[in-house]
């Protein structure tokens, strides 16, 4: 076997196949130069493993998440209410069969409200009363 | 990175949950991202910058992240690409071609290697790492410092396993020349 130069690092790392590893070991038994290279490669690996990485700043994850536009705690509960109200409003406007078709006046009000709640996402009291009114109407339809 | 192994595999990101999931994954893996970035860039400020950029790019690409695969590898890959872009843009440093290995280490000689080994190893080793071309340095950092397998490193570096193997070997041979005094000291038993 000629000098298995390009296999020596993999040999040191123990990632050669059994066959390759046996061939390299047989060569090393007869080759002083390659034995020295293997010893040096082990030494290099050892040196590399001594380096320490400084402790990263503890607030790094917070700053990372802030910089990508959010933190987990930053979603205000109000936004969920707005999203739910908007969904309900769109369902009503779509006249889904399981909800009785609202009167034209109600549709108009809802449209107005949808615009308003987009502009003022924090206040959604109006929609709440509108919806309860609507559900009340529906209740009176049933015997 | 065995201590982080339990938080590695993600669940499916979807909609609003995706951002929460992303935040969770970033919190689980920012340390390994920082370590990789630090060893690639050689200093904490650039490392932080790089991690930040990689986090932003990862969020933008998060819909393409495949649930059930390793987020840390995926993020490190993005980080590595950002790093390569930077080095191409900046070209602040000149790298030594590995065929033309200078000896001794151009970074200057430290004191007596035996005593320097104890206290100042970081300096010379980091300087030697910095002198490697970026793709060779990345292979060394992932395998020798972070303990990844060749296969895992190949995933991060997006190259064949054989390429990792040859880069690693050539990089170590270069480091051997640049750190000759320290290598000899280790061979004499200096590091135990």
């Amino acid at each position: 076997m000629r000098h298995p130069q390009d296999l020596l690092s993999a040999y040191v790392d123990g990632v050669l196949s059994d066959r390759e590893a046996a061939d390299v070991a047989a060569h090393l038994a007869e080759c002083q130069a390659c034995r020295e290279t293997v010893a040096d490669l082990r030494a290099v690996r050892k040196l590399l493993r001594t380096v320490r990485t400084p402790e990263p700043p503890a607030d790094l994850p917070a700053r990372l998440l802030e910089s990508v536009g959010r933190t987990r705690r930053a979603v205000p509960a109000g936004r969920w209410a707005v999203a739910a109200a908007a969904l309900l409003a769109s369902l009503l406007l779509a006249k889904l069969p399981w909800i009785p078709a609202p009167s034209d006046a109600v549709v108009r009000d809802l449209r107005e409200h949808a615009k308003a709640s987009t502009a003022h996402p924090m206040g959604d009291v109006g929609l709440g009363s509108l919806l309860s009114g609507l559900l009340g109407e529906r209740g009176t339809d049933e015997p | 990175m065995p201590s982080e192994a339990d938080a590695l595999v993600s669940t499916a990101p979807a909609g609003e949950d995706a951002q929460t999931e992303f935040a969770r994954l970033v919190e689980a893996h920012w340390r390994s991202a920082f370590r990789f970035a630090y060893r690639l860039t050689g200093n904490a400020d650039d490392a932080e910058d790089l991690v930040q950029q990689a986090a932003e790019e990862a969020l933008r690409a998060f819909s393409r992240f495949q649930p059930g695969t390793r987020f840390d590898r995926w993020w490190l890959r993005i980080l590595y690409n950002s790093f390569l872009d930077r080095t191409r843009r900046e070209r602040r440093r000149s790298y030594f071609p590995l065929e033309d290995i200078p000896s001794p280490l151009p970074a200057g000689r430290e004191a007596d290697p035996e005593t320097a080994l104890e206290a100042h190893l970081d300096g010379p080793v980091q300087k030697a790492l910095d002198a490697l071309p970026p793709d060779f340095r990345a292979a060394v950092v992932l395998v020798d410092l972070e303990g990844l397998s060749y296969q895992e490193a190949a995933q991060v570096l997006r190259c064949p396993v054989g390429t990792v193997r040859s880069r690693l070997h050539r990089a170590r041979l270069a480091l051997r020349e640049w750190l000759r005094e320290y290598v000899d000291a280790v061979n004499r038993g200096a590091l135990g």
Side-chain angles (χ1 to χ4, degrees), chain B residues 2-69:
Chain B
S3 63
E4 292 160 351
D6 47 347
L8 291 178
V9 177
S10 97
T11 52
E16 189 76 21
D17 289 345
Q19 294 224 323
T20 310
E21 179 64 3
F22 183 78
R24 185 184 77 78
L25 290 166
V26 163
E27 279 170 10
H29 300 297
W30 65 281
R31 282 174 189 279
S32 63
F34 179 83
R35 282 198 305 267
F36 187 38
Y38 182 86
R39 288 304 168 196
L40 287 176
T41 61
N43 73 81
D45 285 347
D46 286 347
E48 229 182 273
D49 234 44
L50 184 58
V51 172
Q52 190 119 337
Q53 185 189 344
E56 285 161 16
E57 285 172 13
L59 180 64
R60 276 199 294 278
F62 195 48
S63 59
R64 295 200 296 277
F65 172 68
Q66 292 179 354
T69 61

Side-chain angles (χ1 to χ4, degrees), chain B residues 101-105 172-181:
Chain B
I101 295 168
S103 184
L105 181 66
R172 284 177 181 167
L173 290 179
L175 294 173
R176 171 176 71 155
E177 297 310 316
W178 295 340
L179 297 169
R180 170 54 72 189
E181 294 163 274

Side-chain angles (χ1 to χ4, degrees), chain A residues 90-113:
Chain A
S90 64
L91 287 175
L92 288 170
L93 290 171
K95 301 183 181 182
L96 289 185
W98 50 273
I99 297 179
S103 70
D104 286 351
V106 170
V107 169
R108 208 165 42 241
D109 283 352
L110 278 173
R111 286 215 173 100
E112 285 301 305
H113 184 82

